[in-house]
Amino acid sequence: MVFKKAGVEITPLSRETLQDRVHRYITELILDGSIVPGETVTIQSLADAFGVSPMPVREALRRLTAANALTVVSGRSIGIPALSRARLTDLRNVRSAIEPIAAGWAAERIDADGLAVLRQHLDALESANAAGDVKAYLRANYTFHFAIYRAAGSENILKIIENLWLQISPYFNMLDDSGNYSTANEHHQAMFAALANRDAEAVQAAIRADIDAAFHILMNMLD
């Protein structure tokens, strides 16, 4: 059924399209640190926030649970899965293999406009860290890294990296008091400089250093 509003034809969203949009919304909440470890959310609260029925939310959560990004806590509540030493190590190893590949490709492809956008994200990272704004920092961290990975020009590797970040990025909330955000920004500066110089090896080294720094702090916390 198609109807007109203010002279514009509007086609109601199909159920599949609505489910995909809700899945994307929840994915973004996880990636930018809006859902933190230890916090639970309900299907109904998400449905109310998005202005949709519980059905597309339930389907999106099913997909994210299957991807190990979320877990059922109790009843209709979901949360971030517990992090074990084995799972953290596996994520570090896979990230260290995959993300530098994308960064290396980005060094070959990124243009002046891409570098300008990356500079803005880097400035946002510095400002958020200086202000002690964890939410803003995590959001900027996500947008900075994925601006690099999108510049690689591969949808396939981007999907792989997004799946990895869905599993690890919520735990970046735990790094606030460790000084890691300042250390990470040093790595981010190195990534930017390497990309500006088209230096694939240098940007790959900075990516690995960034991954390893967070890994060691989180591993110590698990101890």
Side-chain angles (χ1 to χ4, degrees), residues 41-64:
V41 294
T42 65
I43 293 173
Q44 191 60 53
S45 67
L46 288 172
D48 291 343
F50 297 143
V52 300
S53 72
M55 185 177 296
V57 175
R58 190 176 293 111
E59 173 59 21
L61 295 179
R62 185 194 66 77
R63 291 164 61 184
L64 289 164

Side-chain angles (χ1 to χ4, degrees), residues 153-202:
S154 170
E155 286 297 320
N156 285 315
I157 202 167
L158 187 64
K159 289 177 182 178
I160 294 170
I161 294 172
E162 183 173 276
N163 180 265
L164 294 170
W165 271 61
L166 280 170
Q167 297 180 65
I168 191 61
S169 61
Y171 298 98
F172 295 161
N173 281 279
M174 300 165 59
L175 300 172
D176 178 29
D177 296 328
S178 68
N180 174 262
Y181 293 171
S182 295
T183 301
N185 276 356
E186 294 176 7
H187 299 313
H188 296 149
Q189 292 282 0
M191 292 174 208
F192 180 83
L195 288 166
N197 291 327
R198 307 281 183 183
D199 190 335
E201 290 187 5

Side-chain angles (χ1 to χ4, degrees), residues 38-223:
E39 177 186 17
T40 60
V41 294
T42 65
I43 293 173
Q44 191 60 53
S45 67
L46 288 172
D48 291 343
F50 297 143
V52 300
S53 72
M55 185 177 296
V57 175
R58 190 176 293 111
E59 173 59 21
L61 295 179
R62 185 194 66 77
R63 291 164 61 184
L64 289 164
T65 300
N68 296 319
L70 294 172
T71 189
V72 176
V73 177
S74 63
R76 298 184 177 182
S77 297
I78 57 94
I80 302 298
L83 187 64
S84 67
R85 291 172 60 86
R87 184 162 174 251
L88 176 59
T89 300
D90 186 48
L91 284 168
R92 187 279 301 265
N93 292 344
V94 180
R95 290 185 65 208
S96 294
I98 299 298
E99 292 179 40
I101 293 175
W105 293 348
E108 300 172 358
R109 297 172 58 94
I110 197 164
D111 57 17
D113 289 341
L115 286 170
V117 170
L118 207 59
R119 178 75 255 179
Q120 293 176 355
H121 295 325
L122 190 55
D123 290 343
L125 278 163
E126 296 288 358
S127 297
N129 187 43
D133 189 334
V134 175
K135 292 296 184 185
Y137 181 88
L138 294 176
R139 194 174 302 115
N141 183 60
Y142 160 57
T143 54
F144 176 83
H145 277 269
F146 275 77
I148 295 174
Y149 303 144
R150 287 190 184 93
S154 170
E155 286 297 320
N156 285 315
I157 202 167
L158 187 64
K159 289 177 182 178
I160 294 170
I161 294 172
E162 183 173 276
N163 180 265
L164 294 170
W165 271 61
L166 280 170
Q167 297 180 65
I168 191 61
S169 61
Y171 298 98
F172 295 161
N173 281 279
M174 300 165 59
L175 300 172
D176 178 29
D177 296 328
S178 68
N180 174 262
Y181 293 171
S182 295
T183 301
N185 276 356
E186 294 176 7
H187 299 313
H188 296 149
Q189 292 282 0
M191 292 174 208
F192 180 83
L195 288 166
N197 291 327
R198 307 281 183 183
D199 190 335
E201 290 187 5
V203 72
Q204 289 173 335
I207 291 282
R208 291 191 186 97
D210 189 39
I211 292 171
D212 283 344
F215 166 78
H216 288 301
I217 293 173
L218 290 173
M219 188 64 83
N220 288 335
M221 288 181 177
L222 292 178
D223 288 340

